[in-house]
């Protein structure tokens, strides 16, 4: 395989996540080649893959989907687009680099926000508090990343799974791993594997949680216990309401009480003292409580990161609630499915065994160390299924290449932060009138790119950790931020595991956009109303403040034009005018991109006032209007490239919804 072949393999969708190249409804045995081995639950799945076996990746379900069009990559139209890319993209980097030089008049206003760097004697923009926490702790996280799998191997050696399949008919080993054949033996081995993994996960999580949060780990455990009691003690009909009230209430309470510091709680509960003796006792209690508060671990403000755990608490409760609806035997037995060969949809939808909804498994799921801090999100059903049977998507070849992609992304972020100071400039709130419209627009653009990278890196790091631990959560970031033109598709691909969680636990229970009597305008109106509910929850889940609420409502507002355009200009009516339809969609996509950039700048970067300053600086002059027209033309070129990328995926039998 040549250099270009290696690069193509490295950046293939299959390496990013096999869910993009195989149907979620088709079992792996059908989707993968005959030589792809099944994984023995009693054996580690990181065994070396023999050449030519298990490395081909998934089969295409079809070679070419019927809706795909002939390639345009070599057409005269696209030659013009390539020239635009060659000229414009370097200019975008250069203009932002120029305003990040020490010689720029605004440099002194944000120089204090820069830190010493290690590339080309330049300072680094480490001013984003969220990303700086991740960046400053990367060496320690890599140490834990290496230590965790080694400790699991040691634990498995000390407490091995009994060789329950020893009496099973022998098969020739694949990838050096023998495969059990008896269903009963396989089930017993899988149950033993689940028990073994949960035991280790609980032991490691207890140490990990204490190291992260110190005495506040007890607060986390108390919340988990209360949520578990709601699910398992209340009457079935009350579980969904109690779950949502409790968990949304926890989001507000965590914010209001700032993580419940014991000293502050005592002051709140005992605001005054009637006697000197009572006052002395209160002072003693407060001092002891403050002593406990002082031991807050590596991350004393545990409540900031607890939002991701709330999603797992809701997932467990509602998966348990839906499990109570089950009548009769196991759905796997009824449908005659192979539990070792379940499709992803079956892993999520089919309830776990009744005995799996235990305090022990719930605790292991909620505190699973690789995914505890930032996700990605796995449903409880999927988590238990993967602990029983290692997913066939786990392979040494794919995990190593995924790790290489992560390292390349990490170095890319370092390069950007050393040469483009967009975050520091926006935080300093400089005199925006000094900048040209081109400079202002690029500061906003690279601000969004840095936001994308700062979220991408932690998500990929923790997913890499899970993959090394033989658990395959969904990839959170499907496409580059600059490869999005649809607001609806953008939110399917941005924080994808969260999007899937929202669909499963909010959008579908609310009725989605379908159902009897919901077609036409009413169906669209219902979908938009559901989007409003979802994005309000998303805003509150991120942080309880007005800026993010405005962001959530802006997203819903900006989705409206796309929904209405799709209703007024359906694709089926333009089958005889495909080229005109492509141009029309390109024009609409340019407007979509501008609105998405505005909404995300408000929510995650400069805020509403900062956006007003940027907009006034861009359109406040004749030159700014001319620049905006040129920028829209360049965005149109980019959109046509995006269209063709998706057409190419259709030609390869891949249909992504983002």
């Amino acid at each position: 395989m040549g250099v270009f072949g290696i690069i193509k393999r490295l950046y293939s969708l299959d390496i990013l996540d096999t869910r993009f190249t195989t149907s979620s409804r088709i079992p792996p045995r059908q989707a993968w080649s005959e030589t792809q081995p099944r994984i023995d639950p009693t054996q580690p799945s990181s065994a070396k893959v023999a050449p030519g076996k298990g490395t081909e990746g998934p089969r295409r379900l079809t070679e070419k989907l019927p809706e795909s069009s002939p390639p345009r990559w070599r057409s005269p139209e696209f030659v013009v687009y390539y020239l635009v890319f060659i000229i414009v993209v370097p200019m975008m980097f250069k203009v932002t680099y120029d305003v990040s030089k020490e010689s720029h008049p605004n440099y002194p206003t944000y120089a204090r926000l820069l830190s010493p760097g290690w590339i080309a004697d330049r300072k680094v923009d480490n001013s984003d508090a969220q990303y700086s926490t991740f960046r400053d702790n990367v060496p320690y996280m890599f140490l834990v990343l290496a230590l965790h799998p080694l400790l699991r191997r040691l634990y498995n050696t000390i407490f091995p799974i009994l060789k329950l399949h020893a009496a099973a008919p022998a098969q020739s080993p694949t990838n050096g791993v023998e495969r059990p054949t008896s269903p009963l033996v396989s089930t017993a081995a899988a149950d033993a594997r689940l028990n073994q993994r949960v035991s280790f996960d609980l032991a490691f999580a207890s140490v990990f949680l204490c190291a992260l949060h110190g005495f506040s780990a007890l607060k986390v455990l108390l919340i988990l216990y209360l949520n578990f009691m709601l699910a398992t003690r209340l009457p079935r009909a009350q579980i969904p309401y109690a779950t949502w009230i409790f968990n949304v209430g926890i989001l507000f309470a965590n914010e209001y009480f700032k993580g419940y510091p014991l000293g502050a709680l005592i002051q709140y509960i005992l605001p005054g003292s009637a006697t000197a003796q009572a006052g002395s006792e209160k002072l003693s209690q407060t001092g002891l409580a403050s002593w406990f508060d002082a031991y807050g671990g590596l991350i004393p403000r545990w409540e900031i990161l607890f939002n991701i755990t709330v999603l797992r608490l809701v997932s467990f409760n509602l998966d348990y609630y839906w499990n109570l609806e089950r009548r009769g035997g196991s759905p796997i037995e009824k449908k005659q499915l192979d539990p070792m060969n379940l499709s992803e949809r079956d892993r999520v939808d089919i309830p776990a065994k009744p005995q799996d909804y235990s305090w022990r498994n719930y605790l292991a799921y909620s505190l699973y160390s690789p995914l505890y801090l930032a996700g990605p999100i796995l449903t409880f059903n999927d988590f238990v299924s993967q602990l029983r049977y290692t997913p066939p998507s786990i392979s040494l070849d794919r995990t190593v290449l995924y790790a290489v992609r992560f390292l390349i992304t990490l170095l890319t972020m370092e390069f950007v932060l050393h040469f483009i100071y967009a975050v520091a400039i926006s935080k300093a709130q400089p005199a925006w009138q000094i900048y040209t419209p081109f400079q202002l627009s690029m500061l906003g653009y690279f601000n969004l790119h840095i936001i994308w990278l700062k979220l991408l890196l932690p998500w990929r790091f923790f997913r890499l950790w899970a993959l090394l631990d033989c658990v395959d959560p969904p990839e959170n970031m499907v496409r580059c931020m600059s490869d999005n033109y649809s607001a609806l598709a953008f939110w399917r691909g941005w924080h994808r595991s969260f999007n899937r969680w929202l669909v499963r636990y909010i959008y579908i229970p609310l009725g989605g956009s379908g159902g009897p009597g919901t077609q036409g305008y009413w169906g669209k109106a219902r979908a938009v109303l559901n989007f409003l509910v979802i994005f309000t929850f998303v805003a509150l889940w991120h942080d309880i403040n007005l800026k993010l609420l405005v962001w959530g409502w802006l997203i819903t507002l900006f989705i409206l034009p796309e929904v209405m355009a799709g209703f007024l200009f359906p694709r089926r009516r333009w089958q005889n005018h495909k080229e005109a339809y492509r141009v029309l969609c390109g024009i609409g996509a340019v407007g979509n991109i501008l609105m998405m950039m505005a909404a995300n700048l408000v929510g995650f970067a400069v805020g509403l006032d900062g956006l007003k300053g940027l907009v006034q600086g861009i359109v406040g002059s004749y030159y700014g209007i001319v620049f905006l027209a040129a920028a829209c033309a360049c965005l149109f070129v980019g959109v046509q490239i995006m269209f063709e990328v998706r057409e190419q995926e259709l030609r390869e039998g891949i249909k992504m919804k983002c």
Side-chain angles (χ1 to χ4, degrees):
M1 184 183 292
V3 174
F4 289 106
I6 295 174
I7 294 174
K8 184 177 180 181
R9 171 71 172 148
L10 178 64
Y11 284 96
S12 66
L13 289 171
D14 178 47
I15 294 301
L16 192 60
D17 193 341
T18 57
R19 293 171 177 84
F20 302 145
T21 54
T22 57
S23 171
S24 63
R25 300 177 181 273
I26 297 179
R29 189 181 298 163
Q30 287 179 243
W32 289 66
S33 62
E34 298 270 339
T35 56
Q36 181 70 23
R38 283 194 305 180
I39 306 298
D40 184 350
T42 67
Q43 298 288 344
S45 67
S46 56
K48 186 175 181 179
V49 180
K53 291 189 176 183
T55 60
E56 302 86 355
R59 282 181 173 176
R60 299 289 180 237
L61 302 180
T62 61
E63 289 303 318
K64 181 178 178 180
L65 295 179
E67 59 264 41
S68 61
S69 61
R72 299 185 180 89
W73 296 114
R74 298 183 180 180
S75 66
E77 175 190 359
F78 272 68
V79 171
V80 175
Y81 296 163
Y82 301 149
L83 292 175
V84 173
F85 263 73
I86 292 171
I87 296 170
V88 173
V89 173
M91 289 176 60
M92 293 166 63
F93 281 91
K94 184 181 183 304
V95 74
T96 319
Y97 170 70
D98 288 342
V99 300
S100 302
K101 290 180 178 179
E102 294 185 17
S103 57
H104 193 274
N106 262 340
Y107 182 82
T109 63
Y110 63 85
R112 58 186 170 79
L113 299 175
L114 304 179
S115 306
W118 59 275
I119 299 178
D121 293 327
R122 284 186 60 85
K123 292 187 176 182
V124 61
D125 183 357
N126 198 29
S127 60
D128 185 278
Q130 187 179 25
Y131 182 71
S132 66
T133 302
F134 174 82
R135 183 178 183 271
D136 296 343
N137 289 286
V138 162
Y140 308 107
M141 291 191 295
F142 271 111
L143 179 63
V144 176
L145 181 74
L147 189 62
H148 180 263
L150 295 177
L151 289 176
R152 186 183 290 281
R153 284 181 176 273
L154 178 63
Y155 181 89
N156 292 349
T157 302
I158 298 173
F159 303 100
I161 297 176
L162 296 176
K163 296 295 181 180
L164 299 173
H165 63 285
Q171 290 187 344
S172 58
T174 311
N175 289 355
V177 179
E178 294 184 0
R179 310 293 166 192
T181 55
S182 168
L184 295 177
V185 170
S186 298
T187 301
D191 288 341
R193 181 178 188 269
L194 172 66
N195 182 66
Q196 182 193 56
R197 286 187 62 92
V198 166
S199 297
F200 174 80
D201 287 337
L202 288 175
F204 190 90
S206 61
V207 177
F208 189 63
L209 196 66
C210 290
L212 288 177
H213 305 316
F215 284 108
S216 292
L218 297 175
K219 303 172 189 175
V220 174
L221 291 175
L222 177 61
I223 294 173
L224 265 58
Y225 175 76
L226 293 175
N227 182 75
F228 182 77
M229 288 296 103
L230 289 177
T232 57
R233 295 291 184 269
L234 288 177
R236 178 184 170 277
Q238 298 177 13
I239 292 175
Y241 304 103
T243 295
W244 283 111
I245 292 171
F246 175 76
N247 284 282
V248 172
I250 284 294
L251 293 178
F252 280 92
N254 287 352
E255 176 72 17
Y256 182 78
F257 291 105
K258 306 296 181 185
Y260 319 102
L262 297 180
L265 282 179
I266 290 176
Q267 295 282 356
Y268 182 82
I269 296 171
L270 305 172
S273 302
T275 66
Q277 182 180 0
S280 177
E281 290 177 357
K282 176 185 173 184
L283 184 63
S284 175
Q285 292 169 347
T286 304
L288 181 62
S290 299
W291 182 81
F292 279 109
D293 290 335
Y295 291 88
L298 298 173
I299 306 177
R301 296 197 62 191
W302 62 272
E303 73 277 7
I304 295 176
L305 298 171
F306 190 75
N307 290 9
I308 201 80
T309 304
V310 165
L311 303 183
R312 287 188 282 267
L313 303 190
V314 172
S315 176
F316 173 83
N317 283 19
L318 294 186
D319 281 3
Y320 175 73
Y321 165 75
W322 289 322
N323 168 68
L324 296 177
E325 294 180 337
R326 188 173 66 187
R327 297 288 183 269
S330 166
I332 293 178
E333 296 174 358
K334 288 181 178 179
K335 298 179 180 180
Q336 297 183 334
L337 300 173
D338 179 1
M340 299 178 66
N341 191 41
L342 294 178
S343 67
E344 191 209 5
R345 179 64 63 87
D346 287 336
R347 291 203 314 260
V348 172
D349 289 346
I350 293 179
K353 296 179 180 180
Q355 62 268 27
D356 289 339
Y357 296 93
S358 64
W359 166 253
R360 191 168 174 271
N361 291 348
Y362 163 75
L363 208 58
Y365 166 66
S366 302
L367 302 178
Y368 179 58
S369 300
L371 306 180
Y372 172 72
L373 289 174
I377 309 300
L378 271 176
T379 67
F380 179 79
N381 291 341
D382 195 2
F383 179 77
V384 169
S385 178
Q386 292 199 39
L387 292 197
R388 274 204 166 87
Y389 304 99
T390 305
S393 55
I394 300 286
S395 72
L396 180 62
D397 168 65
R398 187 176 292 106
T399 303
V400 168
L401 290 177
Y402 188 85
V404 171
R405 286 186 66 160
F406 168 77
L407 291 174
I408 292 173
T409 307
L410 182 63
L411 292 175
T412 300
M413 182 62 152
E414 285 296 297
F415 181 84
V416 169
L417 292 180
H418 276 79
F419 289 92
I420 294 175
Y421 300 149
V423 177
I425 292 172
S426 65
K427 283 183 176 295
Q429 291 291 313
W432 295 113
Q433 61 270 20
I434 293 179
Y435 299 103
T436 67
F438 190 17
Q439 292 170 340
L440 285 172
S441 62
M442 289 302 99
L443 285 172
Y445 173 79
F446 279 101
N447 230 315
L448 292 176
H449 251 293
I450 291 170
I451 291 170
W452 175 72
L453 282 168
K454 81 169 185 179
L455 295 174
L456 174 72
L457 283 165
W459 286 337
R460 285 203 175 164
F461 174 85
F462 291 118
R463 182 169 185 261
L464 173 62
W465 183 0
L467 290 173
L468 290 171
D469 196 40
C470 301
V471 172
D472 185 7
E475 172 65 28
N476 263 342
M477 289 292 198
V478 179
R479 298 190 189 275
C480 173
M481 188 210 78
S482 294
D483 188 16
N484 288 278
Y485 59 85
S486 163
L488 290 170
F490 176 76
W491 291 112
R492 293 191 194 107
W494 177 286
H495 205 170
R496 182 167 170 266
S497 67
F498 187 29
N499 176 268
R500 289 153 61 99
W501 184 95
L502 292 168
V503 170
R504 175 171 172 80
Y505 297 110
I506 299 182
Y507 189 68
I508 291 177
L510 286 176
S513 59
T518 59
Q519 302 302 315
Y521 286 106
W522 170 239
K524 298 297 182 183
R526 180 171 180 173
V528 170
L529 181 61
N530 289 342
F531 286 142
L532 181 62
V533 174
I534 287 171
F535 279 109
T536 299
F537 171 79
V538 170
L540 294 175
W541 177 82
H542 276 95
D543 196 5
I544 300 172
N545 64 51
L546 181 60
K547 185 173 75 170
L548 281 173
L549 273 176
V550 171
W551 165 82
W553 296 333
L554 280 176
I555 291 296
T556 306
L557 178 65
F558 292 162
I559 283 174
L560 277 174
E562 183 175 346
V563 171
M564 295 309 299
F567 185 78
L568 296 173
F569 303 97
R571 187 187 185 98
R572 65 180 183 276
R573 295 183 183 175
W574 294 77
Q575 290 301 312
N576 297 327
H577 307 280
K578 292 183 178 180
E579 290 302 308
Y581 188 68
R582 179 167 64 91
V583 173
L584 182 66
C585 289
I587 295 171
V590 169
N592 256 355
I593 292 172
L594 293 175
M595 289 188 290
M596 286 192 293
M597 290 180 66
N600 285 300
L601 283 171
V602 169
F604 298 102
V606 298
L608 196 58
D609 291 335
L611 179 65
K612 289 179 181 177
L614 286 173
V615 172
Q616 288 171 359
I618 292 173
V619 301
S621 65
Y622 175 77
Y623 170 69
I625 299 295
V626 173
F627 164 76
L628 183 61
C632 289
C634 291
L635 286 175
F636 180 84
V637 170
V639 166
Q640 295 304 318
I641 298 291
M642 297 179 211
F643 288 167
E644 191 61 17
V645 167
R646 287 152 179 78
E647 288 294 322
Q648 185 64 37
E649 290 168 355
L650 292 176
R651 295 179 199 117
E652 296 174 1
I654 300 170
K655 186 172 184 179
M656 300 173 67
K657 296 180 178 180
C658 59

